Amino acid sequence: QVQLVESGGGLVQAGGSLRLSCALSGRTFSNYAMGWFRQAPGKEREFVAAITSSGQSTGYGDSVKGRFTISRDNAKNTVYVQMNSLKPEDTAVYYCAAYRGPYYSKRQSDYNYWGQGTQVTVSS
């Protein structure tokens, strides 16, 4: 059984930083491309960042480019997203997701497994 568990969310002031983590269990982590998505109240879930199974290539949503960095540690079965220069509009529930394949995807429909989400709140 695949399980994704996010951690690291919380309350931060605008301009601050947070690092989210997501641990995968039940499968060989290095076989899975990973992604982060977020959903703000009243809005659709949107793509944030993704990384190939090897970690060699990454992609970002336009709203977070230059501020967020996705990375992974295959030895620890964990993917991270470092979020800097946070803005109130970054407030959302953040979800990690996984699909078996080498290439990252920005499409939610490509992902088979999802975490339960972690709340990030940025105060102004």
Side-chain angles (χ1 to χ4, degrees):
Q1 182 181 356
V2 177
Q3 190 172 19
L4 295 171
V5 179
E6 300 104 332
S7 60
L11 174 64
V12 64
Q13 288 188 332
S17 298
L18 280 176
R19 188 177 80 156
L20 305 183
S21 301
C22 173
L24 182 149
S25 61
R27 290 291 188 274
T28 302
F29 182 68
S30 59
N31 288 339
Y32 286 78
M34 302 295 295
W36 287 95
F37 295 80
R38 68 186 183 186
Q39 188 166 21
K43 295 187 177 181
E44 293 188 352
R45 191 159 55 184
E46 66 171 351
F47 170 72
V48 173
I51 189 166
T52 55
S53 59
S54 67
Q56 290 187 336
S57 184
T58 58
Y60 296 92
D62 289 341
S63 61
V64 306
K65 278 180 184 176
R67 299 188 298 122
F68 289 14
T69 303
I70 189 171
S71 62
R72 64 189 295 157
D73 185 339
N74 284 355
K76 294 183 178 180
N77 294 349
T78 301
V79 63
Y80 308 94
V81 61
Q82 177 68 43
M83 306 185 296
N84 298 330
S85 302
L86 283 162
K87 305 174 182 180
E89 51 264 45
D90 294 317
T91 295
V93 177
Y94 284 71
Y95 298 90
C96 74
Y99 87 92
R100 184 181 172 90
Y103 306 112
Y104 72 76
S105 174
K106 298 182 179 182
R107 295 192 300 264
Q108 298 180 48
S109 59
D110 284 337
Y111 291 85
N112 307 107
Y113 305 106
W114 292 81
Q116 80 289 350
T118 186
Q119 177 71 48
V120 171
T121 302
V122 184
S123 63
S124 57

